[in-house]
Every structure is written in C-alpha cells, then in structure tokens.
Amino acid sequence: MRKLTPKRRVLSALLGGKVEKIPVTSVAGCAGTVCVDMQKAVGIFFPEAHKDPEKMAKLAIASCELTGLECVRVPFDFVVEPEALGCEIKWYDKPESVPAVMGHPFEKPEDLRMPENFLERARIPIVLEAIRIIRREVGDFLPISSLALGPLSIAGELAGIEKLMIWIIRKPDYVKEFVNFATDIVIEYAKAQYRAGSDIVQVADPMASGDLISPEMFREFVKPALIKIADSLGGIRVLHICGRTESIVSDMAETGFDGLSVAEEADIASIKPLVGHAKILGNVSSKKILVFDSPDDVKAEARRALEAGVDLLEPGCGISPITPLENIKAMVEARNEFYV
C-alpha cells in the first residue's frame, strides 16, 4: 500500500479505511498537547499561547514538527467555554500550568441564559482564528483536531463540581437542565470549529468518568446529550472520557461518535469487541509512563497498545505540560519501529 499523508492516514483510520500503518497522534485527551520543552524550543509560553491566535497556532504546529505527531490540536486548556459563559478564571504565569475555573456563577436552572453573541465572547474568537491560521499553514498535509468540552463537564464548571455531584442525587432535574443547556453550547461551538477548518472535533467530558459517576448515572444524564451532539455534528467526531470506561464503553459506542478515546485504565483487547464500528484511540499512559519513565518504557507501553489493537496510537489522556519531549518522540519512534 502506498504511503499516505498524515491527514489521509488519520481520517482513513477514523472512518474505517485502510492505512499502511496506525497513526500516532494526539487527537484527543484532557491534558492538552503541548509540554514545557516545546514551549522552550519555540519561545512561546503559557499563558500567552492561550490568549493569542498566532502564538497558539505556531505552538500547536511546532508540537508536530518537534515530535512527529500526525495531528495539530487546539486549544491547550479546558476553560474556554466556561470563561465565555461568565465563570471566573484563574491564570498562572508558569509554562507548566493551565488556567482553571475559580468562580461558578450559576446557582439554579433559571440562571442559565444562552448569550446571543456566544461565539464572540472571551477566547472563543481566538481559538477559531487559531484554527483558521493552522489550516492556512498546514493545508491538507496534517489533520486539525479541536476541543469542545463535554456537557456534564460544562455543567460542573457552571454550577461547581461538588454542587453538581450533590444535585445528581438530590436534584436530578437540575442536572438535566444544566446538561441540556450545555449540550446546545457544545453543538454551537463545535460547528463553528468545523467552519473554521477543523477536520475532527473532540468532545471531552472528564466528569463523565466512571471514577466520578456510575454507569446508571452516565446513561441517565450524559448519554442522551452525547447522542444529540453526535447527531448534530456533520464532521468527524471523537469522544474522550477519562479514567475507567470499561463499564460504559458500549454506551459510549452507541452515542454515534466515530472514535472513542480511552485512558490507560482501559484494556484495549477487552473493549474492542464492544465498540462496534467506532475506532479506539489511546492508550499510552499519560499520567505515569509518559511523564516519569524512560523513553524505553514509553516504547514498551506504545508497543503494548499497538499489539492490543488501538486504531490510533495516542497518549491516553493527552500530553501533560511536564512531559519530557524525548518521551513523546519515543512514542512516535515506537510506532515507526513496529512497522519495520
């Protein structure tokens, strides 16, 4: 089979086509795509890269050039939508830190209002412009992935995560109204990302993890929203949920997303028969092996994931800012060596 461009390889892998080798990417995950070593190499640092579209685009492209990863992804943080909806954001002046939500302004469903100019608020225009810049720079050689925060996670940031967890037990109707509101936000923002030039939209919902809610709660509060999102989006869609997903992976597959991104806790060989036509992305250990272990350990972990049957080889939960650059390169080298 002839060699494909990274874009053709990634899109073919996600849509069920034939590829000459498994792509090695960072399409999905909760920890971003940029480490401190990349920031130093390019001379662009957090938090400026979160706030300037030119810097965001340049750093995102550099993450591929420096490592060999086959996908460009923005943004680098998880608070774009909460910020646009009025949450208080804490910014950090350290390249290893990402912004976080500090204030949760919504106390009850009656407080929820869809801003008329939502796509023009806070940093949403910055992310969309960064996507347009990347599209001009990489053309059709590299695929572009972008992030929309999932509906339960948006609801948690708006109301406060602890409060939402209490509501799930005591006020389930509140949770459903917050999730319904967040679902409309996800759809509007994701569609804008496609229009700006994204090939793939990742919906990442870390609060939907089996570490935080039960499978029954997932089916009641999250699954219907994800089905609506998948049905509403015309482009390629990838769903990422952190932590333990074995008990809900069949439900994840039934939402209609093209790809399912799973963390290192998932056993790929066990879940493959459960996901139907959905493709599996993952599941090299982001939290331990990529950050703390040697390049040889990373290669062994990557080979394990390839042998288990991943469709796209990726960090299981994104790239932590403190990940050594040599370890990310080792993951790419492991994929290349796997096909020699």
Side-chain angles (χ1 to χ4, degrees):
M1 183 177 180
R2 66 185 178 88
K3 184 178 180 181
L4 302 175
T5 65
K7 180 173 179 178
R8 289 287 298 274
R9 185 179 301 119
V10 170
L11 300 190
S12 293
L14 283 170
L15 295 176
K18 293 183 178 180
V19 293
E20 85 284 22
K21 55 185 175 182
I22 296 297
V24 56
T25 53
S26 188
V27 168
C30 291
T33 61
V34 171
C35 65
V36 174
D37 288 345
M38 295 176 189
Q39 296 174 55
K40 291 178 179 177
V42 183
I44 297 174
F45 296 91
F46 295 167
E48 289 79 11
H50 299 304
K51 302 178 180 181
D52 182 298
E54 294 278 354
K55 293 180 179 179
M56 184 183 295
K58 185 174 181 179
L59 188 55
I61 294 170
S63 70
C64 298
E65 294 173 340
L66 292 166
T67 61
L69 290 171
E70 297 176 311
C71 182
V72 185
R73 187 177 118 210
V74 290
F76 310 129
D77 69 274
F78 264 52
V79 301
V80 174
E81 299 97 312
E83 181 184 13
L85 292 168
C87 292
E88 178 187 352
I89 305 300
K90 171 68 175 179
W91 292 94
Y92 300 91
D93 292 324
K94 296 179 179 180
E96 67 271 19
S97 299
V98 293
V101 173
M102 300 299 291
H104 312 281
F106 297 90
E107 297 288 337
K108 54 188 182 301
E110 290 77 13
D111 296 333
L112 299 170
R113 294 288 186 275
M114 171 70 84
E116 292 183 4
N117 60 340
F118 173 68
L119 295 178
E120 301 172 10
R121 294 172 65 91
R123 288 182 299 129
I124 287 180
I126 292 171
V127 175
L128 297 178
E129 179 60 18
I131 294 170
R132 287 188 282 267
I133 293 169
I134 295 168
R135 181 84 286 155
R136 292 196 297 267
E137 291 294 322
V138 305
D140 285 328
F141 184 71
L142 288 169
I144 301 172
S145 170
S146 53
L147 164 70
L149 190 58
L152 190 67
S153 296
I154 290 178
E157 297 293 16
L158 297 181
I161 294 172
E162 291 183 5
K163 186 187 298 181
L164 193 76
M165 291 293 101
I166 294 171
W167 284 353
I168 285 178
I169 303 300
R170 298 182 180 177
K171 297 182 178 181
D173 290 345
Y174 273 30
V175 178
K176 291 178 182 178
E177 291 195 53
F178 269 73
V179 168
N180 288 340
F181 172 80
T183 298
D184 292 338
I185 293 291
V186 174
I187 292 169
E188 182 171 356
Y189 185 30
K191 287 183 175 179
Q193 293 174 12
Y194 288 128
R195 292 194 299 270
S198 285
D199 299 294
I200 306 158
V201 170
Q202 171 209 186
V203 176
D205 210 343
M207 275 198 63
S209 168
D211 297 335
L212 294 175
I213 63 172
S214 69
E216 293 75 21
M217 292 172 181
F218 180 86
R219 295 177 192 119
E220 180 177 0
F221 298 107
V222 184
K223 185 177 179 180
L226 293 175
I227 290 172
K228 181 178 179 180
I229 291 167
D231 287 346
S232 300
L233 301 184
I236 299 176
R237 309 140 299 178
V238 169
L239 174 63
H240 174 81
I241 295 179
C242 300
R244 301 189 182 281
T245 52
E246 288 95 335
S247 61
I248 59 168
V249 72
S250 295
D251 295 288
M252 291 170 63
E254 290 171 1
T255 61
F257 281 77
D258 303 291
L260 306 178
S261 167
V262 295
E264 54 262 35
E265 290 89 347
D267 181 78
I268 300 298
S270 297
I271 67 174
K272 285 236 13 159
L274 306 177
V275 301
H277 296 296
K279 304 306 174 185
I280 298 178
L281 298 78
N283 69 331
V284 176
S285 171
S286 295
K287 303 167 189 173
K288 180 182 182 295
I289 293 176
L290 270 174
V291 173
F292 297 111
D293 289 4
S294 70
D296 285 342
D297 294 324
V298 172
K299 288 186 176 183
E301 174 81 345
R303 285 193 296 270
R304 175 201 58 76
L306 288 165
E307 290 167 356
V310 291
D311 298 295
L312 285 83
L313 179 68
E314 295 210 336
C317 205
I319 296 171
S320 166
I322 61 173
T323 304
L325 184 59
E326 63 180 3
N327 279 2
I328 304 170
K329 291 180 179 179
M331 186 175 67
V332 178
E333 292 167 3
R335 189 284 308 267
N336 294 340
E337 293 167 2
F338 189 77
Y339 288 92
V340 172

